[in-house]
Amino acid sequence: MTYCVAMTLEAGMLFASDSRTNAGVDQVSRFSKMRSFVRDGDRVIVMLSSGNLSITQNAINTLEQRARAGDNALSLWNATSMFDVARLLGDALREVKTRDGPYLMQNNIDSSANFLVGGQIRGEPPRLFNVYSEGNFIEATAETCYFQSGETKYGKPVIDRMVTRHSTLVDAIKCTMVSFDSTMRSNISVGLPIDLLLYHTDALSIGMQRRIEETDPYYQMVHGQWGEGLRRVFAQLPGPDWA
Amino acid sequence: MTYCVAMTLEAGMLFASDSRTNAGVDQVSRFSKMRSFVRDGDRVIVMLSSGNLSITQNAINTLEQRARAGDNALSLWNATSMFDVARLLGDALREVKTRDGPYLMQNNIDSSANFLVGGQIRGEPPRLFNVYSEGNFIEATAETCYFQSGETKYGKPVIDRMVTRHSTLVDAIKCTMVSFDSTMRSNISVGLPIDLLLYHTDALSIGMQRRIEETDPYYQMVHGQWGEGLRRVFAQLPGPDWA
């Protein structure tokens, strides 16, 4: 499984993904699910992937190889909008699924995969898209300023409660740590390290990128204080007078 | 959708279920998902159902009709163990699915359904079972003292954090209210009222039964105080020094 979150706020964007992949519980490994394409002053594009790893890797490799070819075809490096980037990614996903999907299906292997892709290209505001397994996609708006993918449910309530478009990036980080903590507590197929990337609006370069390992003091602090805080709030809730 | 929780603690048992059923978002109605079979001093049996409503209702009606027949066949009223009750329920579920399932499948209608069934029969300690859609079942143990069914994920983390076998029934009620609140916040196909039933170990009669409506002051208090408490704990979490 996987857990990815991407947020687009007034202050900037946050991208986070776990690093655990598994094919059954007896085959677990570490793969980063975050890829960024950056040309300082011109564009920052970040992709978070979930689903079948061979499908998502191949889709990105396809895009990257074409972008490197440097011909006049639309690519990650010459697209003038994030909308075009989302289309390119959806097309690449469809291409790989068309090629590999039928072979996977012969062995009942799920070829579904999806991407959160966001960033900013000079001349546009920051934009965030959720590219579904079928290659179609939706864009985040002021009302819904974040997307998740993979194991989304355990970590959703805290984001719904704490994050709006006006939140600071520091609050977004705090909330993301709690959201990952809740998810990893309930689903062992989501695991550390977490790849975290911050982007400040109009910076056109990466604000901060960090890999959060088990031993990370900030993650451990959030894990401990959040759990203690919840227990305190719970203890303070009165019981019903009818019980 | 549905959300049901049943817990078996040293102090007793708690059963809770929501009351919303839907066939698509444009056909929503209210049906209680809790059924109890009680003979004071002899047995308390409580069933919570989720999944296809025609399947779960028919399974219970089948059981009830047979129990009323009063012949010597094994029934809800003469079973000497909760294990036998779980088997009866699993058999009834299989019977209804065998009869109706193929017709539902012709229209791609999901016939899956499951039950949480627990209680106490004189001569045995309280026992709790999770009867799967295939009619097989598992029993709760000291390590895993609760089961959920339906929309389980949003409301699971708080139970995992707050409830153990040694918890009081008052804490179990508090936790159940928070668990339903989190679930209903994230999934509109789960809705009030909540049917709640408490059973005190060895009482062999129902301890308390209550229907919690939107206007219930205790539910509203939990909803408000839990949300405020979480925001307070979140606000007190320090930000990372590396951001």
Side-chain angles (χ1 to χ4, degrees), chain A residues 1 151-154 156-158 160-163 170-178 181-182 185-187 196 198 208 210 212 216 218 221-223 225-243, chain B residues 1 151-154 156-158 160-163 170-178 181-182 185-187 196 198 208 210 212 216 218 221-223 225-243:
Chain A
M1 201 83 182
E151 175 57 274
T152 60
K153 291 191 174 183
Y154 298 116
K156 187 170 186 294
V158 70
D160 284 335
R161 284 182 195 272
M162 305 301 168
V163 170
V170 166
D171 275 354
I173 295 172
K174 280 164 58 173
C175 185
T176 299
M177 291 297 107
V178 173
D181 184 42
S182 300
R185 219 178 175 286
S186 293
N187 186 333
L196 182 72
L198 290 190
M208 193 220 64
R210 188 179 178 88
I212 294 166
D216 187 273
Y218 184 68
M221 187 279 295
V222 168
H223 174 79
Q225 285 205 15
W226 182 252
E228 273 168 40
L230 291 195
R231 279 188 292 276
R232 213 165 46 236
V233 173
F234 185 79
Q236 285 162 0
L237 279 182
D241 50 17
W242 38 259
Chain B
M1 201 81 183
E151 173 58 274
T152 60
K153 290 191 176 184
Y154 297 117
K156 186 171 187 293
V158 70
D160 284 335
R161 284 182 195 274
M162 304 302 169
V163 171
V170 166
D171 275 353
I173 295 172
K174 281 164 58 172
C175 185
T176 299
M177 292 296 107
V178 173
D181 184 42
S182 300
R185 218 177 177 285
S186 294
N187 187 333
L196 182 72
L198 290 190
M208 194 220 63
R210 190 181 177 88
I212 295 166
D216 186 274
Y218 184 68
M221 187 279 295
V222 168
H223 174 79
Q225 284 204 17
W226 182 252
E228 273 169 41
L230 291 194
R231 279 188 292 277
R232 213 165 46 237
V233 173
F234 185 79
Q236 285 163 359
L237 279 182
D241 50 18
W242 38 258

Side-chain angles (χ1 to χ4, degrees), chain B residues 163-228:
Chain B
V163 171
T164 71
R165 197 142 164 86
H166 314 299
S167 299
T168 64
L169 285 175
V170 166
D171 275 353
I173 295 172
K174 281 164 58 172
C175 185
T176 299
M177 292 296 107
V178 173
S179 180
F180 271 83
D181 184 42
S182 300
T183 306
M184 292 190 293
R185 218 177 177 285
S186 294
N187 187 333
I188 56 156
S189 74
V190 176
L192 291 165
I194 302 166
D195 286 317
L196 182 72
L197 189 152
L198 290 190
Y199 174 75
H200 299 278
T201 299
D202 295 334
L204 295 171
S205 67
I206 289 175
M208 194 220 63
Q209 193 163 8
R210 190 181 177 88
R211 171 157 273 211
I212 295 166
E213 305 273 357
E214 261 103 315
T215 53
D216 186 274
Y218 184 68
Y219 178 75
Q220 290 186 338
M221 187 279 295
V222 168
H223 174 79
Q225 284 204 17
W226 182 252
E228 273 169 41

Side-chain angles (χ1 to χ4, degrees), chain B residues 5-214:
Chain B
V5 185
M7 302 176 183
T8 177
L9 314 176
E10 284 160 6
M13 306 182 89
L14 175 149
F15 298 87
S17 55
D18 83 314
S19 305
R20 192 163 289 176
T21 65
N22 68 301
V25 289
D26 54 351
Q27 200 181 336
V28 175
S29 27
R30 260 192 187 198
F31 283 90
S32 175
K33 296 154 192 175
M34 179 183 287
R35 280 296 298 276
S36 56
F37 299 86
V38 181
R39 193 155 59 197
D40 282 345
D42 177 59
R43 68 191 58 213
V44 170
I45 299 169
V46 184
M47 298 175 184
L48 304 178
S49 56
S50 63
N52 186 300
L53 183 65
S54 78
I55 301 285
T56 56
Q57 277 194 348
N58 273 267
I60 292 181
N61 281 336
T62 300
L63 272 187
E64 204 183 10
Q65 188 160 311
R66 284 191 192 145
R68 241 184 300 141
D71 55 16
N72 287 327
L74 183 66
S75 83
L76 294 178
W77 296 121
N78 64 21
T80 55
S81 73
M82 284 300 300
F83 173 73
D84 280 344
V85 170
R87 275 205 306 171
L88 282 171
L89 189 52
D91 288 346
L93 183 57
R94 287 174 176 168
E95 196 179 318
V96 174
K97 285 184 70 176
T98 302
R99 192 177 64 217
D100 290 354
Y103 294 92
L104 297 178
M105 203 185 292
Q106 284 171 20
N107 285 317
N108 289 317
I109 297 172
D110 189 2
S111 66
S112 64
N114 85 313
F115 289 98
L116 307 182
V117 56
Q120 187 170 16
I121 292 177
R122 193 155 44 95
E124 272 204 330
R127 298 173 76 176
L128 173 64
F129 295 85
N130 186 348
V131 181
Y132 296 116
S133 193
E134 291 72 24
N136 58 328
F137 53 84
I138 59 172
E139 181 172 5
T141 60
E143 296 82 40
T144 298
C145 65
Y146 77 93
F147 289 130
Q148 302 168 290
S149 71
E151 173 58 274
T152 60
K153 290 191 176 184
Y154 297 117
K156 186 171 187 293
V158 70
I159 306 180
D160 284 335
R161 284 182 195 274
M162 304 302 169
V163 171
T164 71
R165 197 142 164 86
H166 314 299
S167 299
T168 64
L169 285 175
V170 166
D171 275 353
I173 295 172
K174 281 164 58 172
C175 185
T176 299
M177 292 296 107
V178 173
S179 180
F180 271 83
D181 184 42
S182 300
T183 306
M184 292 190 293
R185 218 177 177 285
S186 294
N187 187 333
I188 56 156
S189 74
V190 176
L192 291 165
I194 302 166
D195 286 317
L196 182 72
L197 189 152
L198 290 190
Y199 174 75
H200 299 278
T201 299
D202 295 334
L204 295 171
S205 67
I206 289 175
M208 194 220 63
Q209 193 163 8
R210 190 181 177 88
R211 171 157 273 211
I212 295 166
E213 305 273 357
E214 261 103 315

